[in-house]
Amino acid sequence: MKMTHCIPGLLITLSMNALSSQAQDQSQSDSTGLPGDNFSLQGALSLFKKAGSPEEFEKLLNTESQQVNNLDLNEDGNIDYIRVINKKENDVQIFVLQALVSDKESQDIAVIELEKTGKDNAVVQITGDEDIFGEEVIIEPSEEDNAFNVTGSSIARGPNMEYDGAEQTAGVVVNVWAWPCVRFVYAPAYRVYVSPWSWYARPTWWRPWRPLAWHAYRPIRYRYRPHYVVVHTHRVAYAPRLYRPTRVTSVTVTTRHKTTVTHYRTSRTTRTVTATHGNKQYRATRKTTTVEGPRGNKVSRTRTSVRKRG
């Protein structure tokens, strides 16, 4: 009986130790080899937050000093241009971030999902494409200087997390209505923005640059982590249905990264342990991902979460 009472505390301790070890392992590991290593979803959402319009957002994405995009999917030695394509249905909007790979191919990198949920309320997430990040990755804001959750109370400061970090507390949603771009796209006179640029027609202000090596880009990419968190549920339930028929993938990108992405998906393992403490049950879930890096090295990332059941 004593042993049963100790299990929840032990699980929580193991969870904290695992997360601590995970952070240490990530700081020492090499790139996983996935294309998504070279694009910051948190960074893209940060740029969306400060942009005044979708057009300005696209310009920020393709500005070297912002250091959000480090993708060179066609391996021509230059950063890929990312265009923004907006679709809208009622109060739901999506913004597709699409890389120009060649004159015939493009590749979706991520989708920003936005919904106006009230007169002065809106929610937002960004979802990374499964062919770029190995699996669908959903990021959302975890806290703001003047953010409020759905009940109107202020949100506490969130942890500093990457894609394999802990999940955000269920039910906490950041209201992003104050973001300039959000108000802009819900203005009565707004017309959906579809980037006019293509492989042969690029903006005059755009100056492509050479991508950084992983060891140089990694710390830059991670600086966008604060105030964002990984979740596993679409807040905007209709957004995937709106996006799915328009999803664009590149045969070149898929073929080039097929082996690495397949390894990533097939090597994920999940182990769940349930413990009882009094009338309460606790469940600890550990997910481990092992991939082969570009130098043949094995890179493992482990996420452990403990939840109270019932």
PDB file of all heavy atoms in Angstrom, residues 2 60 76 97-98 110 140 156 172 184 188 207 229 259 273 309:
ATOM      1  N   LYS A   2       1.938   1.221   0.788  1.00  0.00           N
ATOM      2  CA  LYS A   2       2.870   2.345   0.822  1.00  0.00           C
ATOM      3  C   LYS A   2       3.456   2.595  -0.552  1.00  0.00           C
ATOM      4  O   LYS A   2       3.621   3.731  -0.966  1.00  0.00           O
ATOM      5  CB  LYS A   2       4.007   2.037   1.805  1.00  0.00           C
ATOM      6  CG  LYS A   2       3.854   2.755   3.123  1.00  0.00           C
ATOM      7  CD  LYS A   2       5.031   2.440   3.991  1.00  0.00           C
ATOM      8  CE  LYS A   2       4.744   2.946   5.388  1.00  0.00           C
ATOM      9  NZ  LYS A   2       5.830   2.645   6.298  1.00  0.00           N
ATOM     10  N   LEU A  60       8.192  40.082 -43.852  1.00  0.00           N
ATOM     11  CA  LEU A  60       8.986  39.766 -42.666  1.00  0.00           C
ATOM     12  C   LEU A  60       9.539  38.344 -42.740  1.00  0.00           C
ATOM     13  O   LEU A  60      10.692  38.093 -42.382  1.00  0.00           O
ATOM     14  CB  LEU A  60       8.131  39.931 -41.408  1.00  0.00           C
ATOM     15  CG  LEU A  60       7.774  41.361 -41.002  1.00  0.00           C
ATOM     16  CD1 LEU A  60       6.772  41.350 -39.856  1.00  0.00           C
ATOM     17  CD2 LEU A  60       9.023  42.138 -40.618  1.00  0.00           C
ATOM     18  N   ASP A  76      19.800  24.851 -53.748  1.00  0.00           N
ATOM     19  CA  ASP A  76      20.507  25.657 -54.740  1.00  0.00           C
ATOM     20  C   ASP A  76      21.481  26.635 -54.076  1.00  0.00           C
ATOM     21  O   ASP A  76      22.086  27.470 -54.750  1.00  0.00           O
ATOM     22  CB  ASP A  76      19.522  26.409 -55.638  1.00  0.00           C
ATOM     23  CG  ASP A  76      18.697  27.448 -54.866  1.00  0.00           C
ATOM     24  OD1 ASP A  76      18.799  27.498 -53.618  1.00  0.00           O
ATOM     25  OD2 ASP A  76      17.955  28.209 -55.514  1.00  0.00           O
ATOM     26  N   LEU A  97       1.750  29.022 -45.587  1.00  0.00           N
ATOM     27  CA  LEU A  97       3.137  29.446 -45.822  1.00  0.00           C
ATOM     28  C   LEU A  97       3.742  28.436 -46.792  1.00  0.00           C
ATOM     29  O   LEU A  97       3.935  27.264 -46.448  1.00  0.00           O
ATOM     30  CB  LEU A  97       3.930  29.466 -44.512  1.00  0.00           C
ATOM     31  CG  LEU A  97       3.750  30.670 -43.588  1.00  0.00           C
ATOM     32  CD1 LEU A  97       2.296  30.952 -43.284  1.00  0.00           C
ATOM     33  CD2 LEU A  97       4.522  30.454 -42.290  1.00  0.00           C
ATOM     34  N   GLN A  98       4.022  28.896 -48.011  1.00  0.00           N
ATOM     35  CA  GLN A  98       4.394  27.992 -49.097  1.00  0.00           C
ATOM     36  C   GLN A  98       5.738  28.375 -49.703  1.00  0.00           C
ATOM     37  O   GLN A  98       5.926  29.509 -50.143  1.00  0.00           O
ATOM     38  CB  GLN A  98       3.300  28.026 -50.160  1.00  0.00           C
ATOM     39  CG  GLN A  98       3.415  26.999 -51.247  1.00  0.00           C
ATOM     40  CD  GLN A  98       2.229  27.090 -52.195  1.00  0.00           C
ATOM     41  OE1 GLN A  98       2.294  27.789 -53.200  1.00  0.00           O
ATOM     42  NE2 GLN A  98       1.139  26.402 -51.866  1.00  0.00           N
ATOM     43  N   ALA A 110       3.816  25.425 -43.502  1.00  0.00           N
ATOM     44  CA  ALA A 110       2.966  25.506 -42.318  1.00  0.00           C
ATOM     45  C   ALA A 110       1.683  26.245 -42.669  1.00  0.00           C
ATOM     46  O   ALA A 110       1.580  26.876 -43.729  1.00  0.00           O
ATOM     47  CB  ALA A 110       3.697  26.222 -41.189  1.00  0.00           C
ATOM     48  N   GLU A 140       0.950  27.131 -30.379  1.00  0.00           N
ATOM     49  CA  GLU A 140       0.067  28.247 -30.077  1.00  0.00           C
ATOM     50  C   GLU A 140       0.688  29.121 -28.993  1.00  0.00           C
ATOM     51  O   GLU A 140       1.606  28.682 -28.287  1.00  0.00           O
ATOM     52  CB  GLU A 140      -1.308  27.748 -29.643  1.00  0.00           C
ATOM     53  CG  GLU A 140      -1.346  27.055 -28.299  1.00  0.00           C
ATOM     54  CD  GLU A 140      -2.749  26.565 -27.959  1.00  0.00           C
ATOM     55  OE1 GLU A 140      -3.541  26.328 -28.896  1.00  0.00           O
ATOM     56  OE2 GLU A 140      -3.046  26.411 -26.764  1.00  0.00           O
ATOM     57  N   ALA A 156      -0.729  32.753 -16.561  1.00  0.00           N
ATOM     58  CA  ALA A 156       0.594  32.749 -15.934  1.00  0.00           C
ATOM     59  C   ALA A 156       1.668  32.526 -16.972  1.00  0.00           C
ATOM     60  O   ALA A 156       1.412  32.015 -18.059  1.00  0.00           O
ATOM     61  CB  ALA A 156       0.654  31.654 -14.868  1.00  0.00           C
ATOM     62  N   VAL A 172      -6.741  26.504 -21.626  1.00  0.00           N
ATOM     63  CA  VAL A 172      -6.175  27.851 -21.598  1.00  0.00           C
ATOM     64  C   VAL A 172      -5.956  28.324 -23.028  1.00  0.00           C
ATOM     65  O   VAL A 172      -5.204  27.722 -23.780  1.00  0.00           O
ATOM     66  CB  VAL A 172      -4.857  27.894 -20.811  1.00  0.00           C
ATOM     67  CG1 VAL A 172      -4.259  29.289 -20.855  1.00  0.00           C
ATOM     68  CG2 VAL A 172      -5.087  27.458 -19.375  1.00  0.00           C
ATOM     69  N   PHE A 184      -6.776  43.507 -38.779  1.00  0.00           N
ATOM     70  CA  PHE A 184      -6.743  43.904 -40.189  1.00  0.00           C
ATOM     71  C   PHE A 184      -7.555  42.933 -41.046  1.00  0.00           C
ATOM     72  O   PHE A 184      -8.346  43.360 -41.904  1.00  0.00           O
ATOM     73  CB  PHE A 184      -5.293  43.955 -40.670  1.00  0.00           C
ATOM     74  CG  PHE A 184      -5.123  44.413 -42.088  1.00  0.00           C
ATOM     75  CD1 PHE A 184      -5.015  45.766 -42.394  1.00  0.00           C
ATOM     76  CD2 PHE A 184      -5.075  43.492 -43.129  1.00  0.00           C
ATOM     77  CE1 PHE A 184      -4.864  46.198 -43.711  1.00  0.00           C
ATOM     78  CE2 PHE A 184      -4.920  43.912 -44.444  1.00  0.00           C
ATOM     79  CZ  PHE A 184      -4.817  45.263 -44.734  1.00  0.00           C
ATOM     80  N   PRO A 188     -14.097  45.031 -42.174  1.00  0.00           N
ATOM     81  CA  PRO A 188     -15.150  44.848 -43.191  1.00  0.00           C
ATOM     82  C   PRO A 188     -14.651  44.965 -44.629  1.00  0.00           C
ATOM     83  O   PRO A 188     -15.147  44.260 -45.524  1.00  0.00           O
ATOM     84  CB  PRO A 188     -16.144  45.972 -42.864  1.00  0.00           C
ATOM     85  CG  PRO A 188     -15.937  46.254 -41.416  1.00  0.00           C
ATOM     86  CD  PRO A 188     -14.467  46.057 -41.169  1.00  0.00           C
ATOM     87  N   ARG A 207      16.124  39.948 -51.298  1.00  0.00           N
ATOM     88  CA  ARG A 207      17.516  39.594 -51.552  1.00  0.00           C
ATOM     89  C   ARG A 207      17.793  38.235 -50.913  1.00  0.00           C
ATOM     90  O   ARG A 207      17.925  38.137 -49.688  1.00  0.00           O
ATOM     91  CB  ARG A 207      18.469  40.641 -50.961  1.00  0.00           C
ATOM     92  CG  ARG A 207      18.317  42.027 -51.566  1.00  0.00           C
ATOM     93  CD  ARG A 207      18.782  42.064 -53.020  1.00  0.00           C
ATOM     94  NE  ARG A 207      18.694  43.412 -53.570  1.00  0.00           N
ATOM     95  CZ  ARG A 207      17.608  43.912 -54.160  1.00  0.00           C
ATOM     96  NH1 ARG A 207      16.523  43.167 -54.272  1.00  0.00           N
ATOM     97  NH2 ARG A 207      17.597  45.139 -54.639  1.00  0.00           N
ATOM     98  N   VAL A 229       3.852  27.224 -27.107  1.00  0.00           N
ATOM     99  CA  VAL A 229       3.787  25.866 -26.563  1.00  0.00           C
ATOM    100  C   VAL A 229       3.241  24.907 -27.606  1.00  0.00           C
ATOM    101  O   VAL A 229       2.505  25.303 -28.516  1.00  0.00           O
ATOM    102  CB  VAL A 229       2.897  25.851 -25.291  1.00  0.00           C
ATOM    103  CG1 VAL A 229       1.442  26.070 -25.648  1.00  0.00           C
ATOM    104  CG2 VAL A 229       3.076  24.573 -24.497  1.00  0.00           C
ATOM    105  N   THR A 259      13.454   9.141 -46.655  1.00  0.00           N
ATOM    106  CA  THR A 259      14.090   8.209 -45.721  1.00  0.00           C
ATOM    107  C   THR A 259      14.118   8.763 -44.303  1.00  0.00           C
ATOM    108  O   THR A 259      13.750   8.082 -43.347  1.00  0.00           O
ATOM    109  CB  THR A 259      15.523   7.885 -46.171  1.00  0.00           C
ATOM    110  OG1 THR A 259      15.492   7.302 -47.479  1.00  0.00           O
ATOM    111  CG2 THR A 259      16.182   6.908 -45.206  1.00  0.00           C
ATOM    112  N   VAL A 273       2.187   4.394 -18.111  1.00  0.00           N
ATOM    113  CA  VAL A 273       2.095   3.738 -16.813  1.00  0.00           C
ATOM    114  C   VAL A 273       1.016   4.441 -16.010  1.00  0.00           C
ATOM    115  O   VAL A 273       0.970   5.669 -15.944  1.00  0.00           O
ATOM    116  CB  VAL A 273       3.443   3.811 -16.050  1.00  0.00           C
ATOM    117  CG1 VAL A 273       3.293   3.171 -14.675  1.00  0.00           C
ATOM    118  CG2 VAL A 273       4.538   3.134 -16.842  1.00  0.00           C
ATOM    119  N   ARG A 309      -6.061  11.586 -13.624  1.00  0.00           N
ATOM    120  CA  ARG A 309      -7.260  11.084 -14.289  1.00  0.00           C
ATOM    121  C   ARG A 309      -8.427  11.078 -13.308  1.00  0.00           C
ATOM    122  O   ARG A 309      -8.287  10.736 -12.152  1.00  0.00           O
ATOM    123  CB  ARG A 309      -7.035   9.666 -14.822  1.00  0.00           C
ATOM    124  CG  ARG A 309      -5.869   9.567 -15.793  1.00  0.00           C
ATOM    125  CD  ARG A 309      -5.697   8.157 -16.270  1.00  0.00           C
ATOM    126  NE  ARG A 309      -6.843   7.690 -17.032  1.00  0.00           N
ATOM    127  CZ  ARG A 309      -7.003   6.423 -17.426  1.00  0.00           C
ATOM    128  NH1 ARG A 309      -6.097   5.518 -17.110  1.00  0.00           N
ATOM    129  NH2 ARG A 309      -8.051   6.076 -18.120  1.00  0.00           N
TER     130      ARG A 309
END
